[in-house]
Amino acid sequence: MGTVTSAIVIGGGIAGPVAALALQKAGIAVTVHEAHDGFADGVGGALSIAPNGRTALAAVDADHVIERVGQPMSGMVMQSWTGKRLAEFGTFDDLPPMQLVWRHELYRALYDEAVGRGIRITHGKRLVSLTGGVAGFADGTTAEADVVIGADGIRSTVRRLIDPGAPAPRYVGLLGFGARCDGDGVAPTGDKMHLVFGKRAFFGYQVTGTGEGGWFVNLPSRDPSYGAGFTPAEWLPVLADAFTGDRVPAVELIRRTDPKDLVVTGGLEDIPSVPVWHRDRAVLIGDAAHPTSPSSGQGASLAAESAVQLARCLRDLPLPQAFSAYEALRRARVERVIAAAARTNSDKAAGPVARVLRDALMPVAMRLLANPEKWRWQFDHPIDWSAPARA
């Protein structure tokens, strides 16, 4: 049996509520402290919950949350800028289908699920210090528990406090955008996301049979601050221009988008490896421990996995063995996903000469991509909640 009976979670985004649900199921009293005063309603674009993410949520009886706010996504179809279908992947008959969700809706659904189970989430608690299991906040208050869990994102304060030399986020050469829009009249993609290597940018879109549309753009830029002063209304024509000449519905969907619906993510980032995941009584999960760029399609799913595995280890093992067992379960897997996403980013951000080479090699790469077993290591990741964690 573990010796941990109480926990503080720093960060109330996606990883934080999942960690709280898992800790509660493990019999550990938990409180979540969020730095922002309000809710994240309306913040963030679309993301996918992969089969492995659903498996992790099912382990803590929360997969129904995804089904409530998500839209089934049975696979992804790769296309060239000419509209030619290159490959389809991500479909497994023996795994739950992916779900397309909007981040703010997922956030609120997980938040409500945690609160509904009696978990306390406080707001306006910006972490400034950490001593053992005592967290100090900017408002002068403190909180203490057996462990402090950093679920506070890619710019994690917990990460910096346990390792002042931790690497900073790395810009991957892409700016991110996304929006919902009217897809009426555009050829529906059904329950599949279409992904397009355009001549100058990368485009993803899904249009349902009822005419609801959604899209995202990865725009190559050497400067992560490019367009920092642009309004959404100024960004939309820039994005549409990036797909001029591409024979896919990118320009049409972008032009149909209301500026108020455009989500400007800005520079996409990752950290290839975070050297220190835990120290003393503090530990990292989610983007605080393993921030991958959105190109992985795995950020939220990996966060859910880590939250559940950490709770299992804290349930069954004493400190510091619990932290070591958790890291041993997670590090190699998440860093492999981050590396795979980095290769995808390189393809998306290719310059004019590199794009010619990329497009020439694309048919060979797509034949490999179309083999579902090449992707099973990412999507088929069972977690046996009832099995005891081992040192």
Side-chain angles (χ1 to χ4, degrees):
M1 294 292 292
T3 57
V4 171
T5 61
S6 61
I8 294 166
V9 175
I10 305 298
I14 303 299
V18 179
L21 293 171
L23 290 163
Q24 184 190 64
K25 185 170 182 177
I28 297 170
V30 58
T31 301
V32 180
H33 297 285
E34 166 58 42
H36 295 287
D37 290 324
F39 298 101
D41 295 342
V43 177
L47 55 87
S48 64
I49 302 297
N52 50 294
R54 296 191 61 181
T55 298
L57 290 169
V60 292
D61 311 309
D63 186 42
H64 65 276
V65 172
I66 303 301
E67 293 180 347
R68 188 168 71 246
V69 300
Q71 177 178 312
M73 189 167 66
S74 66
M76 291 172 278
V77 176
M78 295 296 304
Q79 292 178 272
S80 70
W81 67 269
T82 65
K84 180 181 179 181
R85 185 187 184 101
L86 298 172
E88 181 175 335
F89 63 99
T91 301
F92 297 89
D93 293 336
D94 58 335
L95 297 177
M98 290 181 282
Q99 292 277 321
L100 180 68
V101 298
W102 289 86
R103 188 187 187 282
H104 68 275
E105 293 179 355
L106 174 62
Y107 153 78
R108 194 55 188 259
L110 289 171
Y111 184 102
D112 291 345
E113 182 73 14
V115 171
R117 296 191 195 183
I119 293 169
R120 181 169 173 249
I121 301 178
T122 69
H123 289 264
K125 296 296 183 181
R126 187 170 298 278
L127 184 73
V128 294
S129 66
L130 190 58
T131 305
V134 180
F137 302 104
D139 63 3
T141 62
T142 61
E144 183 175 7
D146 294 333
V147 295
V148 177
I149 299 169
D152 49 345
I154 193 169
R155 285 177 170 73
S156 169
T157 298
V158 178
R159 185 203 303 134
R160 177 177 53 79
L161 290 174
I162 68 173
D163 180 17
R170 174 184 68 172
Y171 174 56
V172 302
L174 299 165
L175 304 177
F177 308 84
R180 278 175 164 153
C181 69
D182 175 17
D184 190 38
V186 176
T189 65
D191 58 358
K192 292 181 172 60
M193 173 71 71
H194 284 226
L195 306 173
V196 182
F197 279 101
K199 287 185 290 186
R200 289 187 288 162
F202 188 86
F203 188 70
Y205 70 102
Q206 187 167 352
V207 178
T208 69
T210 60
E212 182 182 2
W215 57 265
F216 73 88
V217 168
N218 294 155
L219 182 68
S221 174
R222 293 182 179 180
D223 181 6
S225 64
Y226 172 73
F230 288 5
T231 65
E234 291 170 324
W235 265 122
L236 287 172
V238 172
L239 299 178
D241 182 66
F243 296 98
T244 299
D246 289 351
R247 296 197 286 272
V248 294
V251 174
E252 183 175 0
L253 290 172
I254 292 170
R255 286 178 175 168
R256 291 184 180 198
T257 300
D258 190 317
K260 68 178 176 57
D261 294 327
L262 180 66
V263 176
V264 181
T265 307
L268 305 184
E269 298 174 318
D270 69 5
I271 300 178
S273 179
V274 173
V276 178
W277 280 22
H278 54 88
R279 178 164 290 161
D280 194 11
R281 288 199 275 164
V283 64
L284 306 174
I285 63 170
D287 280 352
H290 43 77
T292 180
S293 71
S295 292
S296 72
Q298 282 281 357
S301 296
L302 292 181
E305 286 181 10
S306 289
V308 173
Q309 294 288 38
L310 175 62
R312 286 183 60 241
C313 293
L314 292 174
R315 176 194 66 189
D316 299 335
L317 299 167
L319 295 179
Q321 291 97 320
F323 287 166
S324 297
Y326 156 69
E327 183 174 354
L329 282 169
R330 302 300 299 150
R331 181 178 285 277
R333 171 170 167 77
V334 298
E335 291 186 356
R336 185 181 178 190
V337 172
I338 294 169
R343 291 190 291 273
T344 300
N345 290 330
S346 295
D347 287 337
K348 291 179 178 180
V353 176
R355 281 201 299 270
V356 173
L357 180 62
R358 178 199 69 195
D359 292 346
L361 296 175
M362 191 72 72
V364 176
M366 289 302 105
R367 283 197 292 272
L368 295 174
L369 191 67
N371 180 359
E373 295 309 310
K374 294 288 184 181
W375 294 90
R376 185 171 285 277
W377 69 270
Q378 282 199 32
F379 296 143
D380 188 5
H381 190 72
I383 297 176
D384 186 351
W385 176 262
S386 64
R390 301 189 182 280

